[in-house]
Amino acid sequence: MTLLRPSKRMLAFVAVVMIACVHIVFYWKPTESHEVDGLHRVGDGMHRVGDEMHRVNDGLHRVNDRPQDNNEPPHTEFPSLIHHHMPAPHPSHWSLLDKLFGPPKLATKCHDIPIPPYYWTAKDAFTPAFVALPNTQPIQVGATVCVRVIVPAKPQRASVVYTPLPDTPWDSVLIDMVGTTNNVSVPVHLQMTNDVRNTRRDDVHVYEADVELRDVDEYRPRGYIEFRDAEWNPDGGLRPVDYVPEPLYVPETARVEVVDDGSSIYSLDRYLELPLCTDPAAEGRWIHTDMLPFDSHLVPEPENHDLVWLPYTCRLQRISYSDFASCLATAYPLMHWYGDSNLRRSLKKIVSMGEWCSVNTTSNATETRSCLCEDYRDPFMPFDSRYRELIIDINQTGGHALMQPTEFALVPDNTARVYLHKWEGLSIRNKPEWTQGFEARITPRYGNPQVALISLTNWDAAFSSRSYFAVEMQKLLDYVQVEYSNYTQLYIRTGQYYCCRTDATPNTPRAYSRLRNAYFDQYVVDAFRERFGSSHVIRIWNVAQVSERLPLSVRKETVKCPANHARAEVVEIENQILMNAMCNHFEPYTPMEQPSEDDLETDQ
């Protein structure tokens, strides 16, 4: 009988298993006062054996256990669970394996990094919620770092009243990766790991996210737990729960350095080389004007903390409202806008040529209540905010409302016309009902526009249950399909970002929460893309991410505004994002492109 000669891979496999077992036997020495820790180390050691077997079979991609200079593993372990780390294998062992298989590759994606089994044994009575960075090796600009949050079981507090929305977590965890020098704040959008325990109310919950970091700096996680037990979702008329955040333990070693080899396209030194922005959802970050390597007048104005919004992959130019009006008259002479008071504040900036709540009006104009939060009762000469439907003409000198246009589609030269439909989202708080205008037909009365801009979420998350909103959304999609052919571009404006508080308005509290608003936003975007993605141009005017990426201390300033309006300086930046997207690559409108009545009937 001929014996098979063992391969190098098999020999290496056996060697690694033996090394791991030897370390368990020789280095685990529990004392009477650390018997529990010793048991944890046994489990951790066995886990490492399994990890080594897995890594050999996968080409020896050693994920977590490559030793550092201080003999500490790259991943962060919570001190109350493990007080002593098992010494790493001798460097000669790694040298042997490197010769056989080449240098190792450290995993950076969460799905490539095993979750330590002891995470699932965390109990709230002994361990607070904590953050773990499994790999803290330096990464290149544009690479990702895996961030995990472990929320221990807390069955004694479990509530049976609140339940999460579909495919959402029990816990609302607000966490950012924050640059220690540039103060850039990158939100961590945690997802439930693929484990059945995450679906149970009273079990341990482990969340993770791969976070892309594109600015050179050292980053640390910062955040806290907003709600547990789905109390972030007061759906169906439930009363919002008081906002009492719980701290997250962040180990001192939980930090990652982002380095640049000189080729980064995200460098501020190369920002002016980027193409002009045409995507109103382009991701970006806030940079203080003191850190800009160029004149700040080359980009949109800063907000009130001297922070400017700079997208990563494109460049925003500062567009005057006069130039924007000229662009609209040329490319989009007819538009339909549907929205709430947030859209009204945006339009006030446009029709006043930027003068509304501008620092150019009075020295303290931007600090008035109207500019900071609520402007509903303030008189505004160009149009009356109380009207549910308005027709507004805009030219290079400003805008004004028309009371009785003779022919809506007949727009004067060098002018853009906006049909503004003020609504409270699709909620029951619309009076009359929001469907009334669509039932009377929109386009036969107000023309077929180049752009239909639709803003939702703010009132819907506040006053509608998820099931009610889903039904109303289907109605809206049907109406849009009837009214707007593929000639019309669809601009979808997200709701405002919400955080750091609970609405406690007497009698009619709003069911706002950070996760709930984000869920409604995504639901709207997905619904429009699914229905019209193949037939219409769809652009997402993502104003939520603009505020979400502000430093947390700045975001908390919105606590002073129950209506959750963005202050005037942020409204200006939101508008600049829209104006750049609409005007940086428009094709001049020609009346010949307008569809005929026969075409409209066919499309319907």
Side-chain angles (χ1 to χ4, degrees), residues 31 45 80 120 130 135 179 220 233 293 360 460 465 472 515 592:
T31 63
S80 69
W120 298 105
F130 62 98
N135 179 12
R220 296 210 66 201
N233 181 40
N360 298 325
D460 304 293
S465 67
E472 299 303 292
L515 277 188
M592 293 179 61

Side-chain angles (χ1 to χ4, degrees), residues 19-63:
I19 291 169
C21 291
V22 167
H23 276 272
I24 293 174
V25 173
F26 284 94
Y27 292 109
W28 172 54
K29 300 178 180 179
T31 63
E32 293 181 1
S33 60
H34 292 89
E35 289 180 357
V36 175
D37 292 331
L39 292 175
H40 276 297
R41 283 194 293 278
V42 171
D44 190 55
M46 295 305 295
H47 176 63
R48 289 169 189 255
V49 173
D51 283 352
E52 295 298 337
M53 295 171 65
H54 175 72
R55 294 183 189 100
V56 171
N57 289 332
D58 286 345
L60 286 173
H61 289 184
R62 289 174 290 281
V63 179

Side-chain angles (χ1 to χ4, degrees), residues 150-355:
I150 296 82
V151 180
K154 197 172 186 178
Q156 70 273 20
R157 182 186 157 173
S159 166
V160 296
V161 178
Y162 298 86
T163 56
L165 294 168
D167 301 318
T168 60
W170 288 100
D171 312 293
S172 176
V173 181
L174 189 160
I175 183 170
D176 305 309
M177 292 297 289
V178 182
T180 57
T181 301
N182 58 27
N183 205 33
V184 166
S185 183
V186 182
V188 179
H189 295 147
L190 295 168
Q191 302 294 319
M192 295 181 291
T193 54
N194 188 22
D195 192 289
V196 68
R197 284 166 285 196
N198 279 316
T199 66
R200 300 171 184 161
R201 182 192 300 267
D202 58 354
D203 215 329
V204 179
H205 302 143
V206 178
Y207 306 107
E208 64 184 14
D210 293 312
V211 184
E212 184 177 4
L213 301 176
R214 288 172 278 196
D215 292 288
V216 173
D217 205 346
E218 181 184 73
Y219 290 83
R220 296 210 66 201
R222 302 290 187 191
Y224 50 81
I225 299 177
E226 297 182 291
F227 300 99
R228 293 210 199 189
D229 303 318
E231 291 178 343
W232 58 267
N233 181 40
D235 199 52
L238 293 174
R239 189 165 186 84
V241 177
D242 290 342
Y243 195 79
V244 185
E246 294 182 42
L248 277 175
Y249 176 80
V250 180
E252 183 61 30
T253 55
R255 56 182 71 226
V256 63
E257 183 180 3
V258 179
V259 298
D260 181 12
D261 60 7
S263 62
S264 171
I265 63 171
Y266 309 120
S267 170
L268 293 178
D269 292 327
R270 304 179 64 181
Y271 182 75
L272 298 181
E273 301 173 12
L274 294 174
L276 292 174
C277 291
T278 57
D279 179 8
E283 289 188 358
R285 75 291 211 189
W286 292 94
I287 299 292
H288 197 277
T289 53
D290 289 344
M291 302 184 68
L292 295 179
F294 49 80
D295 188 343
S296 62
H297 290 86
L298 296 175
V299 295
E301 295 180 7
E303 50 78 82
N304 56 302
H305 298 88
D306 287 329
L307 300 172
V308 293
W309 174 253
L310 302 180
Y312 284 110
T313 57
C314 62
R315 173 170 57 91
L316 289 175
Q317 61 176 330
R318 187 179 298 191
I319 297 177
S320 70
Y321 284 97
S322 177
D323 288 342
F324 182 54
S326 177
C327 160
L328 294 181
T330 304
Y332 316 98
L334 195 57
M335 296 181 291
H336 294 175
W337 286 25
Y338 302 85
D340 55 26
S341 53
N342 293 281
L343 202 59
R344 177 187 71 225
R345 291 167 71 83
S346 172
L347 199 56
K348 281 186 173 182
K349 274 283 188 185
I350 294 173
V351 300
S352 68
M353 297 289 104
E355 290 300 306

